Amino acid sequence: CAASIARAQDAAPKLLPADRSIEQVVDRYIAVGLAEAKLQAVPQADAATILRRLTLDLNGRLPTPDEVADYLANPASDKKAKTIERLLASPAFVRHQAVEIETMLQGSGGEKVSQGKGGMRGYLKTAFAENRSWDRIFREIMLPDDTDPKLKGAGEFLRPRLKELDRLTTDVSSVFFGVNISCAQCHDHPLVEDWKQDHFFGLKSFFARTVELGDVFVEKEFGVVKFTPHKGKPKVAKVMFLTGKVLDVPGAKEPSQADLQKEKVRLEKARKEKKAPPTSYHLRAKFVETALEAGQRDYFAKSIVNRLWYRIFGQGLVMPLDQMHSENPASHPELLDWLARDLVTHNYDLKRLIRGLTLSEAYSRSSRWQGESPPQARFFAVAQVKPLTPMQMGMALRIATASPESVTKSKGDIEKTIEAMEGPASGHARLFPYPTEDFQVGVAEAMLFANSERLTQELLSESSGVIATLLKEKDLAKRVESAVRWVLCRPARPEEITALVAYLQQREDRPAAATQQMVWALLTSAEFRFNH
């Protein structure tokens, strides 16, 4: 792995100049890859699709009817860029970022991060509201201090994992460095020469001295990690970072009885005072310092770039996301190198990176491929269709079925209206699974939409919300046009109008039920379920 970092550093002068914009660099490197593969990218998506995609990706929701109407009527060439700035400035961007990053921090086991003691999401909301840099967030999560109100909840990454140091080691390596070294726990990785047992237990050694005493995290003065190689005798692990850098750590020995007694008194005092005592050598702090120093930070920078790219494009530059190693190169290695360098240069500003990615033409491509079979996703010739996350789905259901009048600009602060919807939306979100890379709508979800009377009553009441508004429109063609625009965020096509008007006409004796069934068909469509 040290050799791969050296190769990346040697390649740095070959990268595009640092003064280029992110979107220019993205489009340049993607275009080169397409040319080498002799592929032609699809055209840009239509305006309605771009607006819907941007709003889902940046604010975690559908655009409101007003937003759709304004965007489609706007002839300005820079309307996409201005919409991105508006969405990035929205408080909803902060909340959506917190949800997405909290999900990322769940770890390889896919379990929910603990919400106790202030909650990780609360901490992340505060962090993103202040636009804290990613390296600072990493530092605060690894070195939490619950006595600071602004850091409350940051410890919820470490707290549930300290009971299982093997899990903590794997989760830290996977989430923050894009490297799953769990296969090197029992033996050197059988397929990847980069990862040895020394790497797994070397990383584990950084956390072996950490203990939680009530509300504080304390570093012990002594502690070593031992392991038995696949072939060999038991040995004490070196404190070693993923790059192979070994630290000379004091206290890396078996403590004497006198040392243990002294340490016991020290820890008991910390428990009573609820304050972490100073330590002669803070191993976790040294871990953070090492991970962020020049020559060692490639994994850290590239991992978050790759994860944000995956979130925005639906396909990582490296796939799987936790397999960044020499045997699994990036689809566009120079692009990943450039973006990582740019992120470090600009103080790990995630908002800036997201802005640049969404401004690119590659982001705005259509998801429709006209040929027989689309090219591999790694070429980014066509936009990937992404299933909505649980919270996106919950918010989509609430906005699509709300009374359009309730989310119009004339009704006051739309941001507060949107935020008020997030509470009920979170209840709906719990009904849907978080999508995996091979996502398919499951039987449980199909049965939910087929049989949930409670859901239909909450969303499609004829006395309020979108159904009540639609029933006021007596012109059936206009009713259909409004329904499609409000639910699917685009103008209805002529064939849709013809088919749906005919459906409503056949049920003129029960207009409310017919309108409910029409809207329900739109809500349960594949077009609604996916971010395309």
Side-chain angles (χ1 to χ4, degrees):
C1 54
S4 65
I5 290 177
R7 288 195 298 271
Q9 291 172 339
D10 291 342
K14 303 174 185 176
L15 301 182
L16 288 172
D19 60 357
R20 301 281 182 91
S21 69
I22 292 175
E23 58 271 26
Q24 288 175 333
V25 170
V26 168
D27 288 329
R28 173 60 180 164
Y29 279 122
I30 296 299
V32 169
L34 289 170
E36 291 176 349
K38 298 181 180 180
L39 289 171
Q40 181 71 40
V42 300
Q44 297 286 280
D46 61 83
T49 298
I50 290 175
L51 176 65
R52 185 180 188 269
R53 189 183 299 171
L54 281 170
T55 311
L56 281 166
D57 285 337
L58 300 183
N59 280 190
R61 62 172 179 86
L62 294 181
T64 66
D66 267 359
E67 289 172 324
V68 174
D70 290 348
Y71 194 81
L72 296 184
N74 187 351
S77 59
D78 63 347
K79 65 181 180 180
K80 175 190 168 186
K82 287 185 176 179
T83 297
I84 290 172
E85 292 305 321
R86 174 177 64 81
L87 294 172
L88 289 175
S90 167
F93 172 75
V94 169
R95 299 191 298 273
H96 181 56
Q97 273 284 90
V99 170
E100 291 295 316
I101 296 298
E102 182 194 35
T103 300
M104 186 188 82
L105 293 172
Q106 288 173 358
S108 59
E111 297 169 286
K112 271 286 186 182
V113 172
S114 168
Q115 289 295 306
K117 300 181 184 295
M120 176 62 74
R121 190 174 301 180
Y123 159 73
L124 290 171
K125 285 181 180 179
T126 301
F128 290 125
E130 297 177 1
N131 198 31
R132 293 180 197 170
S133 61
W134 180 239
D135 61 328
R136 177 181 170 184
I137 292 173
F138 169 64
R139 184 178 293 107
E140 290 171 351
I141 289 175
M142 289 292 106
L143 305 170
D145 179 6
D146 277 349
T147 65
D148 185 339
K150 288 190 175 183
L151 302 184
K152 195 75 173 176
E156 295 309 307
F157 182 85
L158 285 178
R159 183 167 281 114
R161 294 172 168 87
L162 277 177
K163 299 173 184 176
E164 302 176 50
L165 285 186
D166 289 343
R167 176 194 170 197
L168 174 60
T169 302
T170 299
D171 285 357
V172 168
S173 67
S174 297
V175 172
F176 292 105
F177 303 106
V179 171
N180 188 333
I181 57 173
S182 60
C183 281
Q185 182 176 346
C186 300
H187 46 71
D188 293 346
H189 200 295
L191 302 176
V192 182
E193 187 177 348
D194 298 357
W195 306 127
K196 313 293 185 184
Q197 277 186 288
D198 286 334
H199 290 97
F200 181 89
F201 290 101
L203 189 62
K204 181 178 178 179
S205 298
F206 282 105
F207 306 106
R209 298 186 187 181
T210 301
V211 293
E212 182 194 1
L213 299 177
D215 292 334
V216 296
F217 295 91
V218 179
E219 288 274 313
K220 296 184 292 185
E221 293 283 4
F222 302 94
V224 295
V225 170
K226 295 181 178 180
F227 70 99
T228 302
H230 182 56
K231 295 180 179 179
K233 297 179 180 180
K235 59 188 284 189
V236 173
K238 297 176 182 179
V239 179
M240 187 173 75
F241 188 57
L242 293 167
T243 58
K245 179 176 180 178
V246 176
L247 280 65
D248 184 13
V249 176
K253 63 179 183 179
E254 288 289 355
S256 66
Q257 287 300 317
D259 292 332
L260 290 174
Q261 183 59 34
K262 183 179 178 180
E263 188 72 353
K264 181 179 179 181
V265 171
R266 176 174 171 269
L267 297 181
E268 186 58 32
K269 182 180 178 182
R271 186 193 302 276
K272 290 180 179 179
E273 294 180 352
K274 296 183 178 182
K275 182 179 180 181
T279 183
S280 58
Y281 192 91
H282 200 297
L283 205 47
R284 261 183 304 113
K286 195 66 179 176
F287 163 69
V288 172
E289 177 187 325
T290 303
L292 297 177
E293 70 182 32
Q296 309 298 319
R297 62 194 175 202
D298 275 37
Y299 284 117
F300 179 73
K302 288 182 179 180
S303 178
I304 190 61
V305 166
N306 192 47
R307 286 182 178 274
L308 287 183
W309 182 284
Y310 173 79
R311 206 173 91 195
I312 297 298
F313 286 91
Q315 166 78 13
L317 293 169
V318 176
M319 293 296 290
L321 300 177
D322 62 354
Q323 295 295 327
M324 296 180 69
H325 52 73
S326 60
E327 299 296 325
N328 186 38
S331 60
H332 298 73
E334 295 86 358
L335 175 55
L336 182 57
D337 288 344
W338 191 97
L339 290 173
R341 183 187 69 181
D342 182 78
L343 184 69
V344 174
T345 302
H346 292 89
N347 194 33
Y348 294 93
D349 186 344
L350 299 190
K351 180 185 284 188
R352 179 180 178 278
L353 174 58
I354 291 171
R355 175 188 290 110
L357 298 183
T358 53
L359 279 169
S360 70
E361 290 187 3
Y363 170 79
S364 298
R365 300 202 205 288
S366 170
S367 60
R368 295 179 179 274
W369 182 260
Q370 300 300 326
E372 290 185 3
S373 59
Q376 295 178 26
R378 65 188 181 92
F379 291 110
F380 303 101
V382 58
Q384 297 302 299
V385 175
K386 301 179 292 187
L388 300 188
T389 65
M391 194 60 189
Q392 285 176 332
M393 188 63 176
M395 282 298 291
L397 289 171
R398 299 303 301 190
I399 289 180
T401 58
S403 167
E405 292 84 359
S406 67
V407 289
T408 59
K409 291 178 290 187
S410 62
K411 290 294 182 179
D413 192 339
I414 298 302
E415 291 290 351
K416 289 184 178 179
T417 302
I418 296 297
E419 184 175 7
M421 288 182 173
E422 292 179 1
S426 64
H428 296 320
R430 287 190 284 270
L431 301 172
F432 301 96
Y434 201 87
T436 56
E437 291 173 22
D438 55 351
F439 174 84
Q440 291 184 343
V441 174
V443 174
E445 183 173 328
M447 295 299 290
L448 171 72
F449 279 118
N451 300 314
S452 178
E453 185 176 342
R454 175 184 173 186
L455 197 60
T456 55
Q457 288 177 345
E458 286 183 12
L459 300 176
L460 300 181
S461 170
E462 63 182 273
S463 60
S464 61
V466 69
I467 300 300
T469 303
L470 289 172
L471 288 173
K472 294 176 184 177
E473 178 55 70
K474 302 306 179 185
D475 186 314
L476 296 185
K478 291 183 179 179
R479 186 184 300 179
V480 168
E481 289 172 350
S482 297
V484 172
R485 184 181 293 264
W486 295 341
V487 176
L488 300 182
C489 307
R490 63 166 175 78
R493 303 184 184 99
E495 64 272 18
E496 292 172 325
I497 296 174
T498 300
L500 291 175
V501 166
Y503 179 86
L504 295 177
Q505 288 174 335
Q506 292 171 8
R507 292 157 180 80
E508 284 184 323
D509 57 328
R510 47 188 189 282
T515 301
Q516 288 172 326
Q517 290 160 1
M518 173 183 66
V519 172
W520 195 243
L522 297 175
L523 291 172
T524 56
S525 66
E527 183 174 350
F528 185 84
R529 184 63 178 90
F530 291 85
N531 182 354
H532 47 81

